[in-house]
Amino acid sequence: MEILSSAVVGELVTRSLNFIISKISKPTLMDVEDRLPRVLLRAQVIIDEAMGRHITNQAMLLQLSMVRDAMYRGYYMLDTFSYQSHHEGRKDKAVTRSSSSSEVNSRKRLSSFSRNTLVLEQMQEALDDLSSLILDVQELVVFLASYPRMSRQPYSMHLQLANCMFGRQMEAQFVINFLLSPQPHGTKELDVLPVVGPCHVGKSTLVAHVCKDERVRDHFSGILFFRIHGFTDDELATFKKGCAAKHQNLSDSDGRLLVVIELIWDLNEDAWNRLYSTSTQCAPSGSKIIVTSRYDKIVKFGTTKALTLKYLPHEAHWYFFKTLIFGSMDPKMHPRLAHLAMEIAKVVNTPLAANSTARFLRDNFDTRFWCKILTFLRGNFQKHVSRFGDPFELLNQNRPAHLGRVATPFEDIVLECQYQRFSEEEVPEISILDVMYGSVKPQGKFEALAWRSEIPPYYSYVFACEIQEIKTTATKRKHSVLVENKSGTFS
């Protein structure tokens, strides 16, 4: 009996200890919220140190890219929890004023428990992934010291985003490795690297930054840039003249040329053969060609694997957009604006739209104005997407795109085409955002500036537009689209 009692007591003690240990070891939302920022800080240190060095090892760059993506996910989850909690708190106060206390408390408990459980799982997953990756790159951190530092470094993340590329280190090194790789001795063929991707994804920006790298500038005696539409006879003559002139001016008869070709429109195989043949005649042995285009057809023109650029993942896009808007300010000091910015970032999900919208919001740092913009993007803008299609996809296909206007909901801005202008060319004084969100109303057909880039190649992006009236009887009955409600938003 004593043996049985001892066994039962021992089993109960063991189970109790296991239960207590499991309760103690099970992380809470507060624990994860406290640990995640510290792990994110460690990841940020590793990424910042790596960004300041010339890393040539593709495997290391791939590992860093994985850490960077996990870091963006971690920041996104942390911001989602922080700003959403603030937003839910504001909603609860509004509901409390119009509902009974017991009903409100019951709904709050259920909603809070469900939301916190989901957020805890997502934040814990982000924390585990990032912690595991940091452990995996311990050797990489040691090897970083063996790579030379870049000559110039940005002073802050805000300056880095304003003056440098964002999130393209691995792609840039891919292009540099292609340019610096030796060719078989005596060959007259030129290596060709196609760079493809959708409109405004950063193809020209990537190549421009690669061409500014001192390793590339030291390797080539000259760099030629050409923007070609359909490779007409005039463009062919200009191309020949440019290549020949550059070749004649080289002090070294064996000097290599780097020819960068930006294709504005599609190019058929016959036109490409003429362009390539001209390049081989004018450029000395060892020269190389980079050709950029939004059309995947150019992949077959390459002599090596093409580089395909894609838009940033949503988490990285939010990190980019947040830094553009708030700069050196701490978003935590403006939780209401930070929440609105997160919602706006879900709609303006391309680099061009993010840059132009971020600047516009930064110049109008007001909660009510941001609510107005968010309401418009969720309602009027999405309505146009459902009727006509995504405007950025349509423009990428050289088709007209429709956008609405806040001031006059019964009018559309039709974007007939888009084009880029060099920094020395004149640009319209009218901004497309002023037409969309402000009271500016040009007459007839006009040009509007979408965004002026502050990084190479310093393009200005311009739209050819026209204001059109929406002729529908249904919308005329809705004489008021933006009405302020008691919570301070617009509906």
Side-chain angles (χ1 to χ4, degrees), residues 253-370:
S253 59
D254 295 329
R256 294 176 287 263
L257 285 178
L258 170 57
V259 181
V260 179
I261 302 170
E262 181 182 355
L263 296 179
I264 307 302
W265 307 121
D266 201 359
L267 197 68
N268 60 45
E269 193 161 355
D270 290 339
W272 168 256
N273 290 335
R274 288 192 296 158
L275 188 152
Y276 182 77
S277 175
T278 302
S279 301
T280 56
Q281 295 171 14
C282 301
S285 177
S287 299
K288 298 200 176 186
I289 299 175
I290 298 177
V291 54
T292 67
S293 174
R294 70 181 73 169
Y295 301 102
D296 293 336
K297 293 179 182 179
I298 71 162
V299 170
K300 62 183 179 182
F301 301 148
T303 61
T304 186
K305 181 182 177 182
L307 175 62
T308 302
L309 298 184
K310 298 180 180 179
Y311 291 129
L312 295 173
H314 181 65
E315 296 85 359
H317 174 75
W318 161 239
Y319 188 91
F320 173 73
F321 189 66
K322 175 180 65 173
T323 308
L324 286 177
I325 291 181
F326 292 100
S328 57
M329 292 185 293
D330 186 357
K332 294 179 181 178
M333 300 299 293
H334 307 276
R336 174 63 173 153
L337 289 173
H339 170 72
L340 293 171
M342 288 195 79
E343 297 302 312
I344 292 172
K346 295 175 182 178
V347 184
V348 290
N349 53 9
T350 65
L352 176 61
N355 274 285
S356 57
T357 305
R359 179 180 294 275
F360 193 70
L361 294 176
R362 195 168 65 242
D363 293 341
N364 298 273
F365 210 75
D366 177 73
T367 302
R368 293 185 63 186
F369 183 79
W370 287 25

Side-chain angles (χ1 to χ4, degrees), residues 122-169:
Q122 294 174 335
M123 291 179 65
Q124 183 65 53
E125 183 180 356
L127 176 61
D128 292 342
D129 290 345
L130 189 57
S131 300
S132 177
L133 285 169
I134 290 177
L135 289 175
D136 290 342
V137 299
Q138 287 182 344
E139 295 84 359
L140 179 147
V141 175
V142 177
F143 293 146
L144 280 178
S146 62
Y147 287 95
R149 288 190 175 277
M150 295 182 181
S151 56
R152 295 181 180 180
Q153 285 299 300
Y155 296 102
S156 69
M157 177 56 70
H158 179 54
L159 291 178
Q160 179 177 337
L161 290 179
N163 299 307
C164 300
M165 285 186 305
F166 176 78
R168 297 297 189 192
Q169 185 186 21

Side-chain angles (χ1 to χ4, degrees), residues 56 58 170-184 190-195 203 205-225 255-261 284-292 303-305 307:
T56 57
Q58 285 292 315
M170 184 174 175
E171 292 85 350
Q173 190 58 51
F174 180 89
V175 179
I176 291 174
N177 289 346
F178 161 78
L179 294 176
L180 302 184
S181 62
Q183 285 180 288
L190 302 184
D191 286 343
V192 180
L193 171 65
V195 179
K203 301 180 292 295
T205 302
L206 172 67
V207 175
H209 276 75
V210 166
C211 292
K212 289 173 67 69
D213 190 285
E214 59 265 28
R215 293 169 292 175
V216 174
R217 303 192 76 86
D218 291 341
H219 187 75
F220 293 95
S221 300
I223 302 177
L224 292 170
F225 293 90
R256 294 176 287 263
L257 285 178
L258 170 57
V259 181
V260 179
I261 302 170
S285 177
S287 299
K288 298 200 176 186
I289 299 175
I290 298 177
V291 54
T292 67
T303 61
T304 186
K305 181 182 177 182
L307 175 62

Side-chain angles (χ1 to χ4, degrees), residues 387-404:
R387 288 179 59 194
F388 304 105
D390 188 293
F392 302 105
E393 283 294 328
L394 293 172
L395 289 171
N396 199 34
Q397 301 167 12
N398 302 318
R399 296 166 57 192
H402 289 248
L403 297 174

Side-chain angles (χ1 to χ4, degrees), residues 232-251:
T232 61
D233 292 338
D234 291 339
E235 287 181 321
L236 176 60
T238 302
F239 184 76
K240 283 183 177 180
K241 184 178 179 180
C243 289
K246 193 69 175 181
H247 189 195
Q248 292 173 1
N249 292 334
L250 294 179
S251 57

